[in-house]
Amino acid sequence: MTKHLGQELFIQVEDPETADTYVDFCGISSTDFSMGPEMVDRIIPECEGDRTTPAQVTKRAGNIDLSFTGSGIAEINTRTTAIFDAARTGVTLNFKVTVPNYGSFTGPAYVKITFTGNTNEDLAISAEFGWESVPTWAAAA
């Protein structure tokens, strides 16, 4: 079993100055990538016997969710300014999420930025991303 550090799961954004080149989202130190179906409740009422007993609840697969988030210290530079502008104006940017030893997901995504600040502490940032369309998946080499 191959083990990986959390820092190997990373979020990159397309370089605003060089198309098809992806650079790290500066300041992000914690990432989360979730994939899988939404769990939809399937409620099966009692049809024979005591109808007052609680219904059985099972699950079925719903829509496939591919979502990612990141958080860390807010770095204000050319790259992050483009991301902040995309959040402010509601446009997409091209992002790439790499899952170590599995592959990468690439495509346009919307981003929602939250800044958090406490007195005498670094300005923190959290970012939530939503793919505009199904991202391109590439298996790890």
Side-chain angles (χ1 to χ4, degrees), residues 56-88:
Q56 298 283 332
V57 178
T58 61
K59 302 285 183 190
R60 69 172 177 79
N63 296 325
I64 300 296
D65 177 42
L66 298 169
S67 59
F68 60 108
T69 62
S71 61
I73 302 300
E75 294 249 352
I76 311 298
N77 58 38
T78 305
R79 294 178 201 163
T80 56
T81 298
I83 296 168
F84 302 156
D85 287 347
R88 181 177 51 80

mmCIF file of all heavy atoms in Angstrom, residues 56-88:
data_model
loop_
_atom_site.group_PDB
_atom_site.id
_atom_site.type_symbol
_atom_site.label_atom_id
_atom_site.label_comp_id
_atom_site.label_asym_id
_atom_site.label_seq_id
_atom_site.Cartn_x
_atom_site.Cartn_y
_atom_site.Cartn_z
ATOM 1 N N GLN A 56 -38.831 1.001 6.495
ATOM 2 C CA GLN A 56 -37.436 0.653 6.234
ATOM 3 C C GLN A 56 -36.846 1.722 5.312
ATOM 4 O O GLN A 56 -37.501 2.162 4.370
ATOM 5 C CB GLN A 56 -37.361 -0.712 5.534
ATOM 6 C CG GLN A 56 -37.902 -1.850 6.342
ATOM 7 C CD GLN A 56 -36.921 -2.293 7.417
ATOM 8 O OE1 GLN A 56 -35.720 -2.136 7.262
ATOM 9 N NE2 GLN A 56 -37.444 -2.815 8.495
ATOM 10 N N VAL A 57 -35.633 2.136 5.591
ATOM 11 C CA VAL A 57 -34.961 3.118 4.749
ATOM 12 C C VAL A 57 -33.704 2.472 4.176
ATOM 13 O O VAL A 57 -32.852 1.987 4.907
ATOM 14 C CB VAL A 57 -34.590 4.387 5.533
ATOM 15 C CG1 VAL A 57 -33.844 5.369 4.631
ATOM 16 C CG2 VAL A 57 -35.830 5.048 6.112
ATOM 17 N N THR A 58 -33.620 2.456 2.851
ATOM 18 C CA THR A 58 -32.419 1.997 2.161
ATOM 19 C C THR A 58 -31.923 3.158 1.308
ATOM 20 O O THR A 58 -32.547 4.226 1.268
ATOM 21 C CB THR A 58 -32.708 0.758 1.292
ATOM 22 O OG1 THR A 58 -33.677 1.095 0.307
ATOM 23 C CG2 THR A 58 -33.226 -0.399 2.144
ATOM 24 N N LYS A 59 -30.836 2.954 0.646
ATOM 25 C CA LYS A 59 -30.248 4.019 -0.181
ATOM 26 C C LYS A 59 -30.139 3.556 -1.625
ATOM 27 O O LYS A 59 -30.085 2.375 -1.921
ATOM 28 C CB LYS A 59 -28.839 4.360 0.312
ATOM 29 C CG LYS A 59 -28.758 4.794 1.746
ATOM 30 C CD LYS A 59 -29.265 6.177 1.931
ATOM 31 C CE LYS A 59 -29.087 6.610 3.380
ATOM 32 N NZ LYS A 59 -29.768 7.834 3.676
ATOM 33 N N ARG A 60 -30.127 4.522 -2.514
ATOM 34 C CA ARG A 60 -29.798 4.276 -3.903
ATOM 35 C C ARG A 60 -28.893 5.412 -4.351
ATOM 36 O O ARG A 60 -28.855 6.473 -3.735
ATOM 37 C CB ARG A 60 -31.039 4.163 -4.784
ATOM 38 C CG ARG A 60 -31.803 5.434 -4.973
ATOM 39 C CD ARG A 60 -32.908 5.273 -6.023
ATOM 40 N NE ARG A 60 -33.689 6.469 -6.159
ATOM 41 C CZ ARG A 60 -33.322 7.550 -6.844
ATOM 42 N NH1 ARG A 60 -32.170 7.594 -7.467
ATOM 43 N NH2 ARG A 60 -34.109 8.604 -6.906
ATOM 44 N N ALA A 61 -28.181 5.179 -5.434
ATOM 45 C CA ALA A 61 -27.262 6.194 -5.937
ATOM 46 C C ALA A 61 -28.031 7.278 -6.682
ATOM 47 O O ALA A 61 -28.934 6.993 -7.460
ATOM 48 C CB ALA A 61 -26.241 5.562 -6.871
ATOM 49 N N GLY A 62 -27.666 8.502 -6.408
ATOM 50 C CA GLY A 62 -28.227 9.644 -7.128
ATOM 51 C C GLY A 62 -27.161 10.208 -8.060
ATOM 52 O O GLY A 62 -26.331 9.477 -8.589
ATOM 53 N N ASN A 63 -27.164 11.512 -8.232
ATOM 54 C CA ASN A 63 -26.181 12.172 -9.091
ATOM 55 C C ASN A 63 -24.779 11.988 -8.538
ATOM 56 O O ASN A 63 -24.576 11.941 -7.329
ATOM 57 C CB ASN A 63 -26.485 13.671 -9.188
ATOM 58 C CG ASN A 63 -27.808 13.938 -9.843
ATOM 59 O OD1 ASN A 63 -28.206 13.224 -10.756
ATOM 60 N ND2 ASN A 63 -28.507 14.952 -9.376
ATOM 61 N N ILE A 64 -23.795 11.900 -9.413
ATOM 62 C CA ILE A 64 -22.403 11.796 -8.998
ATOM 63 C C ILE A 64 -21.897 13.193 -8.649
ATOM 64 O O ILE A 64 -22.021 14.132 -9.442
ATOM 65 C CB ILE A 64 -21.520 11.188 -10.105
ATOM 66 C CG1 ILE A 64 -22.008 9.792 -10.467
ATOM 67 C CG2 ILE A 64 -20.053 11.179 -9.696
ATOM 68 C CD1 ILE A 64 -21.901 8.779 -9.360
ATOM 69 N N ASP A 65 -21.328 13.323 -7.465
ATOM 70 C CA ASP A 65 -20.814 14.600 -6.981
ATOM 71 C C ASP A 65 -19.291 14.575 -7.017
ATOM 72 O O ASP A 65 -18.673 13.654 -6.492
ATOM 73 C CB ASP A 65 -21.300 14.856 -5.552
ATOM 74 C CG ASP A 65 -20.736 16.134 -4.973
ATOM 75 O OD1 ASP A 65 -20.684 17.149 -5.693
ATOM 76 O OD2 ASP A 65 -20.323 16.120 -3.795
ATOM 77 N N LEU A 66 -18.708 15.552 -7.669
ATOM 78 C CA LEU A 66 -17.269 15.775 -7.653
ATOM 79 C C LEU A 66 -17.070 17.193 -7.154
ATOM 80 O O LEU A 66 -17.353 18.145 -7.879
ATOM 81 C CB LEU A 66 -16.670 15.637 -9.058
ATOM 82 C CG LEU A 66 -16.802 14.290 -9.747
ATOM 83 C CD1 LEU A 66 -16.408 14.411 -11.212
ATOM 84 C CD2 LEU A 66 -15.937 13.264 -9.057
ATOM 85 N N SER A 67 -16.670 17.347 -5.913
ATOM 86 C CA SER A 67 -16.520 18.694 -5.382
ATOM 87 C C SER A 67 -15.196 18.818 -4.642
ATOM 88 O O SER A 67 -14.637 17.829 -4.177
ATOM 89 C CB SER A 67 -17.685 19.044 -4.460
ATOM 90 O OG SER A 67 -17.769 18.132 -3.384
ATOM 91 N N PHE A 68 -14.696 20.028 -4.550
ATOM 92 C CA PHE A 68 -13.439 20.234 -3.852
ATOM 93 C C PHE A 68 -13.417 21.570 -3.146
ATOM 94 O O PHE A 68 -14.141 22.506 -3.511
ATOM 95 C CB PHE A 68 -12.242 20.070 -4.789
ATOM 96 C CG PHE A 68 -12.174 21.005 -5.977
ATOM 97 C CD1 PHE A 68 -11.243 22.029 -6.011
ATOM 98 C CD2 PHE A 68 -12.989 20.819 -7.081
ATOM 99 C CE1 PHE A 68 -11.142 22.858 -7.118
ATOM 100 C CE2 PHE A 68 -12.896 21.642 -8.191
ATOM 101 C CZ PHE A 68 -11.968 22.668 -8.208
ATOM 102 N N THR A 69 -12.648 21.620 -2.078
ATOM 103 C CA THR A 69 -12.490 22.829 -1.283
ATOM 104 C C THR A 69 -11.018 22.974 -0.920
ATOM 105 O O THR A 69 -10.242 22.024 -1.002
ATOM 106 C CB THR A 69 -13.326 22.787 0.020
ATOM 107 O OG1 THR A 69 -12.873 21.692 0.819
ATOM 108 C CG2 THR A 69 -14.799 22.639 -0.255
ATOM 109 N N GLY A 70 -10.651 24.156 -0.495
ATOM 110 C CA GLY A 70 -9.299 24.403 -0.024
ATOM 111 C C GLY A 70 -9.314 25.539 0.975
ATOM 112 O O GLY A 70 -10.204 26.399 0.948
ATOM 113 N N SER A 71 -8.353 25.544 1.866
ATOM 114 C CA SER A 71 -8.256 26.636 2.832
ATOM 115 C C SER A 71 -6.797 26.850 3.206
ATOM 116 O O SER A 71 -5.948 25.978 2.992
ATOM 117 C CB SER A 71 -9.094 26.339 4.078
ATOM 118 O OG SER A 71 -8.629 25.173 4.710
ATOM 119 N N GLY A 72 -6.527 28.012 3.756
ATOM 120 C CA GLY A 72 -5.164 28.336 4.153
ATOM 121 C C GLY A 72 -5.042 29.812 4.477
ATOM 122 O O GLY A 72 -5.997 30.449 4.919
ATOM 123 N N ILE A 73 -3.869 30.343 4.216
ATOM 124 C CA ILE A 73 -3.576 31.755 4.464
ATOM 125 C C ILE A 73 -3.751 32.508 3.153
ATOM 126 O O ILE A 73 -3.271 32.075 2.110
ATOM 127 C CB ILE A 73 -2.133 31.929 4.987
ATOM 128 C CG1 ILE A 73 -1.925 31.122 6.280
ATOM 129 C CG2 ILE A 73 -1.796 33.396 5.190
ATOM 130 C CD1 ILE A 73 -2.836 31.509 7.416
ATOM 131 N N ALA A 74 -4.445 33.640 3.218
ATOM 132 C CA ALA A 74 -4.708 34.428 2.011
ATOM 133 C C ALA A 74 -3.419 35.033 1.475
ATOM 134 O O ALA A 74 -2.737 35.767 2.173
ATOM 135 C CB ALA A 74 -5.718 35.528 2.316
ATOM 136 N N GLU A 75 -3.070 34.660 0.256
ATOM 137 C CA GLU A 75 -1.941 35.248 -0.455
ATOM 138 C C GLU A 75 -2.528 36.136 -1.544
ATOM 139 O O GLU A 75 -3.342 35.679 -2.342
ATOM 140 C CB GLU A 75 -1.089 34.152 -1.099
ATOM 141 C CG GLU A 75 -0.402 33.251 -0.124
ATOM 142 C CD GLU A 75 1.103 33.457 -0.122
ATOM 143 O OE1 GLU A 75 1.611 34.183 -0.981
ATOM 144 O OE2 GLU A 75 1.736 32.883 0.766
ATOM 145 N N ILE A 76 -2.151 37.376 -1.567
ATOM 146 C CA ILE A 76 -2.661 38.283 -2.579
ATOM 147 C C ILE A 76 -1.551 38.501 -3.609
ATOM 148 O O ILE A 76 -0.528 39.119 -3.332
ATOM 149 C CB ILE A 76 -3.082 39.641 -1.963
ATOM 150 C CG1 ILE A 76 -3.969 39.449 -0.730
ATOM 151 C CG2 ILE A 76 -3.764 40.505 -3.009
ATOM 152 C CD1 ILE A 76 -5.287 38.751 -0.979
ATOM 153 N N ASN A 77 -1.757 37.923 -4.802
ATOM 154 C CA ASN A 77 -0.792 38.081 -5.891
ATOM 155 C C ASN A 77 -1.557 37.964 -7.206
ATOM 156 O O ASN A 77 -2.788 37.870 -7.217
ATOM 157 C CB ASN A 77 0.340 37.051 -5.777
ATOM 158 C CG ASN A 77 -0.170 35.627 -5.773
ATOM 159 O OD1 ASN A 77 -1.114 35.287 -6.482
ATOM 160 N ND2 ASN A 77 0.441 34.775 -4.964
ATOM 161 N N THR A 78 -0.861 37.950 -8.311
ATOM 162 C CA THR A 78 -1.505 37.922 -9.630
ATOM 163 C C THR A 78 -2.433 36.725 -9.784
ATOM 164 O O THR A 78 -3.548 36.849 -10.264
ATOM 165 C CB THR A 78 -0.442 37.892 -10.747
ATOM 166 O OG1 THR A 78 0.434 38.994 -10.567
ATOM 167 C CG2 THR A 78 -1.083 37.971 -12.118
ATOM 168 N N ARG A 79 -1.963 35.549 -9.372
ATOM 169 C CA ARG A 79 -2.772 34.335 -9.520
ATOM 170 C C ARG A 79 -4.042 34.380 -8.680
ATOM 171 O O ARG A 79 -5.122 34.094 -9.169
ATOM 172 C CB ARG A 79 -1.970 33.111 -9.099
ATOM 173 C CG ARG A 79 -0.807 32.805 -9.974
ATOM 174 C CD ARG A 79 -0.074 31.601 -9.422
ATOM 175 N NE ARG A 79 1.294 31.579 -9.917
ATOM 176 C CZ ARG A 79 2.246 30.874 -9.385
ATOM 177 N NH1 ARG A 79 2.015 30.117 -8.345
ATOM 178 N NH2 ARG A 79 3.448 30.892 -9.898
ATOM 179 N N THR A 80 -3.875 34.740 -7.414
ATOM 180 C CA THR A 80 -5.057 34.713 -6.541
ATOM 181 C C THR A 80 -6.011 35.854 -6.857
ATOM 182 O O THR A 80 -7.217 35.700 -6.692
ATOM 183 C CB THR A 80 -4.663 34.734 -5.051
ATOM 184 O OG1 THR A 80 -3.844 35.878 -4.793
ATOM 185 C CG2 THR A 80 -3.931 33.465 -4.665
ATOM 186 N N THR A 81 -5.493 36.975 -7.343
ATOM 187 C CA THR A 81 -6.377 38.076 -7.718
ATOM 188 C C THR A 81 -7.328 37.633 -8.819
ATOM 189 O O THR A 81 -8.517 37.965 -8.799
ATOM 190 C CB THR A 81 -5.565 39.314 -8.158
ATOM 191 O OG1 THR A 81 -4.783 39.751 -7.045
ATOM 192 C CG2 THR A 81 -6.470 40.438 -8.605
ATOM 193 N N ALA A 82 -6.845 36.834 -9.773
ATOM 194 C CA ALA A 82 -7.710 36.318 -10.839
ATOM 195 C C ALA A 82 -8.801 35.417 -10.252
ATOM 196 O O ALA A 82 -9.956 35.462 -10.690
ATOM 197 C CB ALA A 82 -6.882 35.550 -11.871
ATOM 198 N N ILE A 83 -8.451 34.616 -9.247
ATOM 199 C CA ILE A 83 -9.435 33.745 -8.599
ATOM 200 C C ILE A 83 -10.451 34.579 -7.833
ATOM 201 O O ILE A 83 -11.664 34.341 -7.909
ATOM 202 C CB ILE A 83 -8.729 32.736 -7.672
ATOM 203 C CG1 ILE A 83 -7.839 31.801 -8.505
ATOM 204 C CG2 ILE A 83 -9.747 31.938 -6.867
ATOM 205 C CD1 ILE A 83 -6.886 30.955 -7.678
ATOM 206 N N PHE A 84 -9.979 35.582 -7.095
ATOM 207 C CA PHE A 84 -10.889 36.450 -6.343
ATOM 208 C C PHE A 84 -11.826 37.188 -7.289
ATOM 209 O O PHE A 84 -13.023 37.335 -7.013
ATOM 210 C CB PHE A 84 -10.114 37.446 -5.481
ATOM 211 C CG PHE A 84 -9.166 36.818 -4.494
ATOM 212 C CD1 PHE A 84 -8.076 37.521 -4.027
ATOM 213 C CD2 PHE A 84 -9.340 35.515 -4.038
ATOM 214 C CE1 PHE A 84 -7.188 36.955 -3.121
ATOM 215 C CE2 PHE A 84 -8.459 34.931 -3.132
ATOM 216 C CZ PHE A 84 -7.381 35.664 -2.667
ATOM 217 N N ASP A 85 -11.296 37.666 -8.419
ATOM 218 C CA ASP A 85 -12.129 38.360 -9.404
ATOM 219 C C ASP A 85 -13.191 37.423 -9.973
ATOM 220 O O ASP A 85 -14.338 37.826 -10.186
ATOM 221 C CB ASP A 85 -11.273 38.925 -10.543
ATOM 222 C CG ASP A 85 -10.461 40.138 -10.127
ATOM 223 O OD1 ASP A 85 -10.725 40.712 -9.055
ATOM 224 O OD2 ASP A 85 -9.529 40.504 -10.882
ATOM 225 N N ALA A 86 -12.826 36.152 -10.226
ATOM 226 C CA ALA A 86 -13.798 35.178 -10.735
ATOM 227 C C ALA A 86 -14.918 34.954 -9.720
ATOM 228 O O ALA A 86 -16.085 34.852 -10.081
ATOM 229 C CB ALA A 86 -13.108 33.856 -11.064
ATOM 230 N N ALA A 87 -14.564 34.899 -8.435
ATOM 231 C CA ALA A 87 -15.580 34.734 -7.389
ATOM 232 C C ALA A 87 -16.487 35.961 -7.330
ATOM 233 O O ALA A 87 -17.709 35.836 -7.206
ATOM 234 C CB ALA A 87 -14.902 34.504 -6.037
ATOM 235 N N ARG A 88 -15.897 37.137 -7.433
ATOM 236 C CA ARG A 88 -16.670 38.380 -7.343
ATOM 237 C C ARG A 88 -17.617 38.554 -8.522
ATOM 238 O O ARG A 88 -18.740 39.047 -8.377
ATOM 239 C CB ARG A 88 -15.701 39.573 -7.265
ATOM 240 C CG ARG A 88 -16.373 40.935 -7.155
ATOM 241 C CD ARG A 88 -15.328 42.045 -7.015
ATOM 242 N NE ARG A 88 -14.283 42.022 -8.021
ATOM 243 C CZ ARG A 88 -14.403 42.497 -9.252
ATOM 244 N NH1 ARG A 88 -15.534 43.029 -9.657
ATOM 245 N NH2 ARG A 88 -13.381 42.441 -10.094
#
